[in-house]
Amino acid sequence: MDIGKEQLIGIFDKMLRIRAFEQKAKELFAGQKIPGFVHLYAGEEAVAAGVCANLTVKDYITSTHRGHGHLIAKGGRLNEMMAELFGKSGGYCKGKGGSMHIADVELGILGANGIVGAGQPIAAGAAFASKYLKTDAVTVCFFGDGASNRGTFHESLNLASAFKLPVIFVCENNQYGISNHQSTAMNILDISDRAKSYGIPGLTVDGNDPLAVFEAAKEAVDRARKGDGPSLLECKTWRHHGHFEGDSSFYKKPEDQTAWLSKDPIPRFEKKLIELGILDGPKVAALHAEVDKELAEAIDFAERSPYPAVSELLTDVLA
Ligand SMILES: Cc1ncc(C[n+]2csc(CCOP(=O)(O)OP(=O)(O)O)c2C)c(N)n1
Ligand SMILES: [Mg+2]
C-alpha cells in the first residue's frame, strides 16, 4: 500500500485523539459542564482518520451532528472545540453554536450540522466552486446511513455526477438512525449500491479498518482531483455509545454490541502497527501521554474561558 510509516502513525494518533476527546466529552457532559446535546463518535474513528489522511488543508469537509471526529481528523484545534462544547466565548463559535455548529473555514472545515443530510448539498456546492475556480481542492462529505435516505443525498449525488464534481460522499453506516435499524428504513444492505443510479463508483469497506478506509478514500480522492468526478464510499461501522448522551441504546442487541466492541478499530490498528514493527509499547504510551496532555490543556482552556457577555447575545447570530 502507498503509505509511509509517519502517515500510519499519524492516522493512529488521530484515532487516539478522537477517542480521548469523546471519552472526556462523555464525562464532562455527565458532570454538567457541557450543555445541550452531544453525539459521540467513539467507535467510528477509523473512518474520519483514514479518509482525512488523504486530504490537505486546502481540501474541504462537511460534517454532521456527530462531528467531533471529522473536525479533529481535519486538524480542528482541541482548545476551541472544547470551549465551544462548554458554551464559552473562547470556542469556535464564541460559545453560541455548541457541538453541532463547529466550523473552521481556514482549515477547510465547512461545518458540523444539526440538520441530517444538510452537508450533502453544501459539499456539492463547495466542489462546484473548486471546479469553477479551477483549484485542485476536493471535498469530502461525511454523513450517516440515515442521511442516505434523504432527498438531499439523491439530489447531491445526481448533481455531482452530472457536473463531474470533485467530491467524495462518505457514508458512515453505523446501522442506526437514532433507534431505527437500517433494515427498517431501506430495502438494501449496501448503501454503496445507490452509486449505480448516478453512474459513479460505489464501494463498501470495513469502516473499522483505517487502512481499508484509507486505500478506498485515496482512490476516490485521486479520481476527484484528476477531474474524473465523484464517488460514494460506504464504511460499515458501529457507534459505541447511545445516539446522544443519555440514550440507553435499549434497541441494540447486547450480542451485536459485544461483537462490534471486539472489532474496536483502535486496539485492532495498534496490534497491526506493533506487528509491523512501527510502534511498540513505549511509543504507544508516549502518544497517549501527549494526547492526554493536550486534552487537559483544552479542558483548562475551556474552564478558564468566560461565557459570552449578555451584550453579545445578538452578535454573529444573524447574517
Ligand atoms: C432533517 C432532519 N431530520 C431529523 C433529524 C433528527 N435526527 C437527528 S440525528 C438523526 C439520525 C441520523 O442518523 P444517521 O444519518 O445514520 O447518523 P448517525 O446518528 O447514525 O451518525 C435524526 C433522525 C434531524 N436532525 N434533521
Ligand atoms: Mg447511522
Side-chain angles (χ1 to χ4, degrees), residues 15 42 45 61 75 90 92 109 130 170 202 283-284 305:
M15 290 169 69
E45 294 89 349
I61 63 163
Y92 262 119
I109 299 169
S130 302
V170 177
K283 282 186 191 145
V284 172
S305 177

mmCIF file with all atom_site columns, all heavy atoms in Angstrom, residues 15 42 45 61 75 90 92 109 130 170 202 283-284 305:
data_model
loop_
_atom_site.group_PDB
_atom_site.id
_atom_site.type_symbol
_atom_site.label_atom_id
_atom_site.label_alt_id
_atom_site.label_comp_id
_atom_site.label_asym_id
_atom_site.label_entity_id
_atom_site.label_seq_id
_atom_site.pdbx_PDB_ins_code
_atom_site.Cartn_x
_atom_site.Cartn_y
_atom_site.Cartn_z
_atom_site.occupancy
_atom_site.B_iso_or_equiv
_atom_site.pdbx_formal_charge
_atom_site.auth_seq_id
_atom_site.auth_comp_id
_atom_site.auth_asym_id
_atom_site.auth_atom_id
_atom_site.pdbx_PDB_model_num
ATOM 1  N N   . MET A 1 15  ? -6.763  8.851  15.671 1.00 0.00 ? 15  MET A N   1
ATOM 2  C CA  . MET A 1 15  ? -7.800  7.982  16.251 1.00 0.00 ? 15  MET A CA  1
ATOM 3  C C   . MET A 1 15  ? -7.774  8.044  17.778 1.00 0.00 ? 15  MET A C   1
ATOM 4  O O   . MET A 1 15  ? -8.819  8.128  18.431 1.00 0.00 ? 15  MET A O   1
ATOM 5  C CB  . MET A 1 15  ? -7.609  6.540  15.754 1.00 0.00 ? 15  MET A CB  1
ATOM 6  C CG  . MET A 1 15  ? -7.935  6.385  14.274 1.00 0.00 ? 15  MET A CG  1
ATOM 7  S SD  . MET A 1 15  ? -7.417  4.797  13.585 1.00 0.00 ? 15  MET A SD  1
ATOM 8  C CE  . MET A 1 15  ? -8.527  3.664  14.392 1.00 0.00 ? 15  MET A CE  1
ATOM 9  N N   . ALA A 1 42  ? -17.224 7.876  19.194 1.00 0.00 ? 42  ALA A N   1
ATOM 10 C CA  . ALA A 1 42  ? -16.385 6.735  19.616 1.00 0.00 ? 42  ALA A CA  1
ATOM 11 C C   . ALA A 1 42  ? -16.813 5.466  18.897 1.00 0.00 ? 42  ALA A C   1
ATOM 12 O O   . ALA A 1 42  ? -18.000 5.140  18.843 1.00 0.00 ? 42  ALA A O   1
ATOM 13 C CB  . ALA A 1 42  ? -16.478 6.549  21.124 1.00 0.00 ? 42  ALA A CB  1
ATOM 14 N N   . GLU A 1 45  ? -13.829 6.018  14.649 1.00 0.00 ? 45  GLU A N   1
ATOM 15 C CA  . GLU A 1 45  ? -12.626 6.832  14.421 1.00 0.00 ? 45  GLU A CA  1
ATOM 16 C C   . GLU A 1 45  ? -11.884 6.503  13.135 1.00 0.00 ? 45  GLU A C   1
ATOM 17 O O   . GLU A 1 45  ? -11.258 7.378  12.521 1.00 0.00 ? 45  GLU A O   1
ATOM 18 C CB  . GLU A 1 45  ? -11.638 6.669  15.591 1.00 0.00 ? 45  GLU A CB  1
ATOM 19 C CG  . GLU A 1 45  ? -12.104 7.211  16.923 1.00 0.00 ? 45  GLU A CG  1
ATOM 20 C CD  . GLU A 1 45  ? -12.885 6.194  17.766 1.00 0.00 ? 45  GLU A CD  1
ATOM 21 O OE1 . GLU A 1 45  ? -13.252 5.129  17.222 1.00 0.00 ? 45  GLU A OE1 1
ATOM 22 O OE2 . GLU A 1 45  ? -13.129 6.472  18.941 1.00 0.00 ? 45  GLU A OE2 1
ATOM 23 N N   . ILE A 1 61  ? -14.154 19.628 4.051  1.00 0.00 ? 61  ILE A N   1
ATOM 24 C CA  . ILE A 1 61  ? -15.049 18.572 4.543  1.00 0.00 ? 61  ILE A CA  1
ATOM 25 C C   . ILE A 1 61  ? -16.362 19.214 5.000  1.00 0.00 ? 61  ILE A C   1
ATOM 26 O O   . ILE A 1 61  ? -16.380 20.366 5.438  1.00 0.00 ? 61  ILE A O   1
ATOM 27 C CB  . ILE A 1 61  ? -14.459 17.745 5.712  1.00 0.00 ? 61  ILE A CB  1
ATOM 28 C CG1 . ILE A 1 61  ? -14.214 18.617 6.971  1.00 0.00 ? 61  ILE A CG1 1
ATOM 29 C CG2 . ILE A 1 61  ? -13.189 17.031 5.302  1.00 0.00 ? 61  ILE A CG2 1
ATOM 30 C CD1 . ILE A 1 61  ? -14.026 17.791 8.242  1.00 0.00 ? 61  ILE A CD1 1
ATOM 31 N N   . GLY A 1 75  ? -7.864  18.462 11.484 1.00 0.00 ? 75  GLY A N   1
ATOM 32 C CA  . GLY A 1 75  ? -6.920  19.401 12.100 1.00 0.00 ? 75  GLY A CA  1
ATOM 33 C C   . GLY A 1 75  ? -7.552  20.424 13.031 1.00 0.00 ? 75  GLY A C   1
ATOM 34 O O   . GLY A 1 75  ? -6.880  21.363 13.476 1.00 0.00 ? 75  GLY A O   1
ATOM 35 N N   . GLY A 1 90  ? -14.396 31.476 24.225 1.00 0.00 ? 90  GLY A N   1
ATOM 36 C CA  . GLY A 1 90  ? -13.163 31.088 23.520 1.00 0.00 ? 90  GLY A CA  1
ATOM 37 C C   . GLY A 1 90  ? -13.400 30.007 22.483 1.00 0.00 ? 90  GLY A C   1
ATOM 38 O O   . GLY A 1 90  ? -12.468 29.556 21.814 1.00 0.00 ? 90  GLY A O   1
ATOM 39 N N   . TYR A 1 92  ? -15.023 27.947 19.075 1.00 0.00 ? 92  TYR A N   1
ATOM 40 C CA  . TYR A 1 92  ? -15.012 28.201 17.628 1.00 0.00 ? 92  TYR A CA  1
ATOM 41 C C   . TYR A 1 92  ? -16.127 29.158 17.209 1.00 0.00 ? 92  TYR A C   1
ATOM 42 O O   . TYR A 1 92  ? -15.964 29.948 16.298 1.00 0.00 ? 92  TYR A O   1
ATOM 43 C CB  . TYR A 1 92  ? -15.136 26.892 16.854 1.00 0.00 ? 92  TYR A CB  1
ATOM 44 C CG  . TYR A 1 92  ? -13.813 26.340 16.371 1.00 0.00 ? 92  TYR A CG  1
ATOM 45 C CD1 . TYR A 1 92  ? -13.346 25.100 16.790 1.00 0.00 ? 92  TYR A CD1 1
ATOM 46 C CD2 . TYR A 1 92  ? -13.023 27.058 15.483 1.00 0.00 ? 92  TYR A CD2 1
ATOM 47 C CE1 . TYR A 1 92  ? -12.135 24.588 16.337 1.00 0.00 ? 92  TYR A CE1 1
ATOM 48 C CE2 . TYR A 1 92  ? -11.810 26.571 15.022 1.00 0.00 ? 92  TYR A CE2 1
ATOM 49 C CZ  . TYR A 1 92  ? -11.372 25.328 15.451 1.00 0.00 ? 92  TYR A CZ  1
ATOM 50 O OH  . TYR A 1 92  ? -10.178 24.847 14.991 1.00 0.00 ? 92  TYR A OH  1
ATOM 51 N N   . ILE A 1 109 ? -12.852 23.168 7.092  1.00 0.00 ? 109 ILE A N   1
ATOM 52 C CA  . ILE A 1 109 ? -13.954 22.507 7.817  1.00 0.00 ? 109 ILE A CA  1
ATOM 53 C C   . ILE A 1 109 ? -15.190 23.384 7.648  1.00 0.00 ? 109 ILE A C   1
ATOM 54 O O   . ILE A 1 109 ? -15.320 24.423 8.302  1.00 0.00 ? 109 ILE A O   1
ATOM 55 C CB  . ILE A 1 109 ? -13.600 22.340 9.315  1.00 0.00 ? 109 ILE A CB  1
ATOM 56 C CG1 . ILE A 1 109 ? -12.342 21.470 9.480  1.00 0.00 ? 109 ILE A CG1 1
ATOM 57 C CG2 . ILE A 1 109 ? -14.790 21.749 10.073 1.00 0.00 ? 109 ILE A CG2 1
ATOM 58 C CD1 . ILE A 1 109 ? -11.757 21.474 10.895 1.00 0.00 ? 109 ILE A CD1 1
ATOM 59 N N   . SER A 1 130 ? -14.810 24.721 -6.418 1.00 0.00 ? 130 SER A N   1
ATOM 60 C CA  . SER A 1 130 ? -13.422 24.334 -6.737 1.00 0.00 ? 130 SER A CA  1
ATOM 61 C C   . SER A 1 130 ? -13.267 24.081 -8.232 1.00 0.00 ? 130 SER A C   1
ATOM 62 O O   . SER A 1 130 ? -12.265 24.460 -8.841 1.00 0.00 ? 130 SER A O   1
ATOM 63 C CB  . SER A 1 130 ? -13.026 23.057 -5.995 1.00 0.00 ? 130 SER A CB  1
ATOM 64 O OG  . SER A 1 130 ? -13.169 23.235 -4.626 1.00 0.00 ? 130 SER A OG  1
ATOM 65 N N   . VAL A 1 170 ? -18.926 10.156 1.767  1.00 0.00 ? 170 VAL A N   1
ATOM 66 C CA  . VAL A 1 170 ? -18.509 9.091  2.681  1.00 0.00 ? 170 VAL A CA  1
ATOM 67 C C   . VAL A 1 170 ? -19.649 8.777  3.652  1.00 0.00 ? 170 VAL A C   1
ATOM 68 O O   . VAL A 1 170 ? -19.959 9.578  4.534  1.00 0.00 ? 170 VAL A O   1
ATOM 69 C CB  . VAL A 1 170 ? -17.235 9.491  3.462  1.00 0.00 ? 170 VAL A CB  1
ATOM 70 C CG1 . VAL A 1 170 ? -16.863 8.390  4.458  1.00 0.00 ? 170 VAL A CG1 1
ATOM 71 C CG2 . VAL A 1 170 ? -16.073 9.758  2.512  1.00 0.00 ? 170 VAL A CG2 1
ATOM 72 N N   . GLY A 1 202 ? -19.137 3.120  -6.556 1.00 0.00 ? 202 GLY A N   1
ATOM 73 C CA  . GLY A 1 202 ? -19.626 2.933  -5.192 1.00 0.00 ? 202 GLY A CA  1
ATOM 74 C C   . GLY A 1 202 ? -18.902 1.766  -4.567 1.00 0.00 ? 202 GLY A C   1
ATOM 75 O O   . GLY A 1 202 ? -18.753 0.711  -5.194 1.00 0.00 ? 202 GLY A O   1
ATOM 76 N N   . LYS A 1 283 ? 6.258   3.528  22.699 1.00 0.00 ? 283 LYS A N   1
ATOM 77 C CA  . LYS A 1 283 ? 5.845   4.545  21.717 1.00 0.00 ? 283 LYS A CA  1
ATOM 78 C C   . LYS A 1 283 ? 4.340   4.806  21.829 1.00 0.00 ? 283 LYS A C   1
ATOM 79 O O   . LYS A 1 283 ? 3.882   5.947  21.733 1.00 0.00 ? 283 LYS A O   1
ATOM 80 C CB  . LYS A 1 283 ? 6.193   4.097  20.289 1.00 0.00 ? 283 LYS A CB  1
ATOM 81 C CG  . LYS A 1 283 ? 7.671   4.276  19.964 1.00 0.00 ? 283 LYS A CG  1
ATOM 82 C CD  . LYS A 1 283 ? 7.939   3.955  18.501 1.00 0.00 ? 283 LYS A CD  1
ATOM 83 C CE  . LYS A 1 283 ? 9.437   3.863  18.248 1.00 0.00 ? 283 LYS A CE  1
ATOM 84 N NZ  . LYS A 1 283 ? 9.784   2.852  17.259 1.00 0.00 ? 283 LYS A NZ  1
ATOM 85 N N   . VAL A 1 284 ? 3.566   3.745  22.026 1.00 0.00 ? 284 VAL A N   1
ATOM 86 C CA  . VAL A 1 284 ? 2.116   3.898  22.182 1.00 0.00 ? 284 VAL A CA  1
ATOM 87 C C   . VAL A 1 284 ? 1.836   4.723  23.442 1.00 0.00 ? 284 VAL A C   1
ATOM 88 O O   . VAL A 1 284 ? 1.018   5.649  23.435 1.00 0.00 ? 284 VAL A O   1
ATOM 89 C CB  . VAL A 1 284 ? 1.408   2.519  22.258 1.00 0.00 ? 284 VAL A CB  1
ATOM 90 C CG1 . VAL A 1 284 ? -0.066  2.673  22.608 1.00 0.00 ? 284 VAL A CG1 1
ATOM 91 C CG2 . VAL A 1 284 ? 1.556   1.767  20.936 1.00 0.00 ? 284 VAL A CG2 1
ATOM 92 N N   . SER A 1 305 ? -12.140 30.038 30.069 1.00 0.00 ? 305 SER A N   1
ATOM 93 C CA  . SER A 1 305 ? -12.764 30.970 29.129 1.00 0.00 ? 305 SER A CA  1
ATOM 94 C C   . SER A 1 305 ? -14.098 31.451 29.698 1.00 0.00 ? 305 SER A C   1
ATOM 95 O O   . SER A 1 305 ? -14.867 30.652 30.237 1.00 0.00 ? 305 SER A O   1
ATOM 96 C CB  . SER A 1 305 ? -12.980 30.233 27.800 1.00 0.00 ? 305 SER A CB  1
ATOM 97 O OG  . SER A 1 305 ? -13.643 31.065 26.885 1.00 0.00 ? 305 SER A OG  1
#
